[in-house]
Amino acid sequence: WSAEQGPYDPGDWSDEWVTYPRGGPFEPGMFVAQVVGDSMVPEINDRDFCLFRQPPAGSRQGKRLLIWHAKIGNDGQYTVKVYTSEKVLDRDGNWTHTKITLKPLNKAHQPIELTIRNEGEVRVIGEFVEVVGR
């Protein structure tokens, strides 16, 4: 844990431990989170425990990502979806997102389309690695 995250006390973060059946090796920053909902079925089922790694550098197109967005839900919400984005080159020569689409694997759910006015409205928390338990 970094100095900003403070001392690690598992009681502050979770009341359960997850056993990883295959062992490491692990990368710094990997974590396990329980995914609730069926939008990523058949790959991720409701209440599966999933292993995530730090967000990838470079293109995120087509990757399965854990994302937080300020406009999903009342106070922002986390979701796991397939990430795609559209970008434009601004006047300063920098790429800027114009639209991010978060696609479910389950056809019973609709994609979430986000129009980005502020890059801080969307945070990629991690990249899905695998389901580690149910």
Side-chain angles (χ1 to χ4, degrees):
W1 295 95
S2 68
E4 293 81 22
Q5 291 170 310
Y8 176 68
D9 179 356
D12 290 344
W13 295 85
S14 175
D15 58 358
E16 294 181 46
W17 285 94
V18 174
T19 302
Y20 185 64
R22 287 178 286 293
F26 294 106
E27 301 168 12
M30 285 185 130
F31 62 95
V32 172
Q34 187 175 35
V35 176
V36 177
D38 66 352
S39 69
M40 292 299 284
V41 167
E43 191 168 346
I44 302 170
N45 293 305
D46 183 31
R47 303 208 178 273
D48 277 352
F49 288 93
C50 298
L51 181 64
F52 293 89
R53 68 170 55 107
Q54 290 184 349
S59 176
R60 296 174 175 160
Q61 291 287 68
K63 296 188 185 292
R64 286 145 173 79
L65 301 176
L66 172 60
I67 298 164
W68 177 88
H69 187 274
K71 304 293 186 201
I72 301 173
N74 295 331
D75 297 320
Q77 183 175 338
Y78 296 92
T79 189
V80 177
K81 300 285 187 288
V82 178
Y83 178 101
T84 61
S85 70
E86 295 177 15
K87 298 178 187 178
V88 295
L89 202 55
D90 67 17
R91 286 181 267 163
D92 299 326
N94 299 312
W95 289 102
T96 303
H97 287 100
T98 57
K99 181 170 85 169
I100 294 175
T101 303
L102 307 176
K103 297 179 182 179
L105 296 178
N106 184 342
K107 302 289 187 214
H109 294 273
Q110 296 297 313
I112 300 169
E113 293 194 358
L114 306 171
T115 303
I116 306 304
R117 288 180 178 73
N118 178 346
E119 292 287 331
E121 291 178 347
V122 177
R123 292 187 207 127
V124 177
I125 306 301
E127 179 182 10
F128 172 74
V129 176
E130 66 181 321
V131 172
V132 296
R134 295 200 157 94

